[in-house]
Amino acid sequence: MGIDLPLIWAIIILFAVMMYVIMDGFDLGIGILFPFFPAKEDRDTMMNTVAPVWDGNETWLVLGGAGLLAAFPLAYGVVLSALYLPIILMLVGLVFRGVAFEFRFKASDARRHWWDKAFICGSILATFFQGVTLGAYIGGLRVVDGVYAGQPFDWLKPFSLFTGFALLGAYALLGSTWLVMKTEGELLGRARAVAIGSAWAVLAAIVAISIWTPLLGANIARRWFSVPNIFYFAPVPLLVLLFLAMLIRTVRRDAHAAPFVCALGLVFLGYTGLGISVWPNVIPPGVSIWDAAAPPQSMGFALVGALLIVPIILMYTAWGYYVFRGKVRQGEGYH
C-alpha cells in the first residue's frame, strides 16, 4: 500500500492555515480592538504584548500558500483566479497593518493618531477579507476543464460577507482574551468585558453559519445530517457550548490564561466544522484533493522540505513565546 501523498499534504496545509488563524488572529484582534482603548498608554501596552511575535505568526500563511502551490497547483490556480480581489485587499490590509505597527512607535505625538488609524483599518480590512475569502471558498467555485469559469465578483455574496463580519468577531475574541492573559490593571478589566461581549457575538455567528452552510449545497447537508455522520459530528456543537460556558466562567472568575485557551478551542471548533463541510474537496463543491494533486514526484520532493521546515518553525515559535511569556506592564516595550 503506497503513501497517500495528497492526504499528507492536505493535513499539512490544513495545519498551517489553522496555525495562522490562531496565531495571527489575536494580533489582528489587537488592531480590531484599538477603538475600544483610546488612551495612548493602553495602546502602547497592547502593541507591546504582540511586538515580539507578530512577524513570526505570518509564517504560517506563507507556508499554507506555498504548500497549496506545490501540492495542489490546480487548486492554487483556480482559487487565486476566483478570489483574486479579496485576496489582494487582504494583503493590502496586512501591509497597512505591518507598516503602521513599526511607524507608530517612531511617530511624534501629533502624528501618531494617523498610524493608529492605519493600524485599525489594516487589521479590519485584512480580517474582513480573510473571512470573505473563506466564505466564498466554502460556497463553492465553478470549474470547467480545470479552469475557473465564474465571474470576477462571484465571491461577493451574502454568505461570504457574513463570514467576513464573523471573522472580525472571532479575532476580536482572540485579541481580548490575549489581553486578559498578558495585561493587568484597568486594561485587564476592560479586556475582560470585551471578551465576554465578543464570546456571545462569536456564538451567534457560529449558530448562523451552522444553519446557513448546509443550505449552500445538498452535498454539505448530506455530510452533516446523513446517518451515521450525524452521530459522529454531534459532539461539535456540544463542545462549542461547553467551551463558551468555560470561557465566560473563567473570565468572570479572574482567570488569566484559561479564557485564551477556551477562545482557541472555540475558533478551532469553528474551523473544524467548516472543514467537515468541504472535505475531501480542495475546490468545493466537486474537485477532491486527489483530483487536484500534483505529480507524485513533485509532491514527494516538496514533502521532504516540508518535513524539515515545519518542526523548525514550531521550535522557534515555541521558543519565542516562552522567552516573552508573562505579563506586559505599562511602560515596558520592545521598541
Side-chain angles (χ1 to χ4, degrees):
M1 184 174 174
I3 299 174
D4 194 339
L5 289 173
L7 178 60
I8 294 173
W9 266 109
I11 293 171
I12 292 173
I13 293 170
L14 287 170
F15 176 73
V17 174
M18 181 191 71
M19 291 296 290
Y20 172 76
V21 169
I22 287 173
M23 304 190 76
D24 206 38
F26 67 77
D27 63 57
L28 282 167
I30 296 297
I32 294 168
L33 294 177
F34 248 40
F36 296 95
F37 301 89
K40 173 189 175 298
E41 294 76 14
D42 288 341
R43 291 182 171 184
D44 287 346
T45 304
M46 292 166 68
M47 296 190 82
N48 284 331
T49 65
V50 296
V53 296
W54 76 274
D55 271 329
N57 292 342
E58 294 181 351
T59 305
W60 297 104
L61 181 63
V62 177
L63 177 62
L68 188 66
L69 173 61
F72 306 106
L74 172 62
Y76 185 87
V78 169
V79 170
L80 261 67
S81 298
L83 304 175
Y84 182 80
L85 286 174
I87 290 174
I88 287 295
L89 291 170
M90 176 197 75
L91 294 175
V92 168
L94 291 176
V95 169
F96 264 82
R97 192 273 301 258
V99 172
F101 198 106
E102 298 298 333
F103 276 79
R104 181 185 179 277
F105 286 98
K106 299 173 176 62
S108 64
D109 292 340
R111 297 181 177 178
R112 185 177 293 107
H113 70 99
W114 291 111
W115 294 112
D116 283 350
K117 292 180 175 65
F119 186 64
I120 294 167
C121 292
S123 300
I124 292 174
L125 190 69
T127 301
F128 179 73
F129 281 104
Q130 283 179 21
V132 168
T133 300
L134 174 63
Y137 175 80
I138 297 295
L141 308 176
R142 188 182 173 203
V143 180
V144 177
D145 296 329
V147 178
Y148 175 63
Q151 299 299 314
F153 289 95
D154 280 355
W155 54 271
L156 194 59
K157 295 179 179 178
F159 180 76
S160 59
L161 295 176
F162 183 82
T163 54
F165 287 111
L167 196 62
L168 286 170
Y171 283 2
L173 177 63
L174 289 174
S176 58
T177 52
W178 172 261
L179 292 176
V180 169
M181 184 171 66
K182 298 292 288 185
T183 62
E184 55 187 17
E186 292 184 9
L187 178 56
L188 169 60
R190 278 176 288 163
R192 291 187 188 279
V194 173
I196 292 177
S198 300
W200 287 114
V202 168
L203 177 64
I206 290 175
V207 170
I209 291 173
S210 299
I211 296 171
W212 202 337
T213 303
L215 301 178
L216 297 176
N219 55 328
I220 297 178
R222 283 194 300 270
R223 174 62 54 83
W224 279 98
F225 300 117
S226 63
V227 178
N229 288 359
I230 191 171
F231 300 110
Y232 296 151
F233 302 146
V236 175
L238 297 177
L239 287 171
V240 166
L241 295 175
L242 175 63
F243 273 96
L244 176 72
M246 291 172 57
L247 191 154
I248 293 175
R249 182 181 181 186
T250 53
V251 167
R252 289 176 174 170
R253 293 194 171 191
D254 296 334
H256 294 270
F260 184 64
V261 174
C262 293
L264 293 179
L266 275 175
V267 172
F268 174 74
L269 288 168
Y271 181 79
T272 301
L274 293 175
I276 290 170
S277 297
V278 301
W279 181 261
N281 295 320
V282 70
I283 309 176
V287 181
S288 73
I289 58 174
W290 298 280
D291 296 331
Q297 297 86 350
S298 300
M299 299 183 77
F301 179 78
L303 182 61
V304 173
L307 294 178
L308 289 173
I309 197 65
V310 170
I312 294 173
I313 297 174
L314 287 171
M315 285 189 291
Y316 80 64
T317 300
W319 177 248
Y321 279 86
Y322 175 77
V323 169
F324 293 101
R325 66 193 183 278
K327 295 283 187 178
V328 176
R329 295 175 177 82
Q330 196 173 99
E332 294 181 345
Y334 308 101
H335 285 72

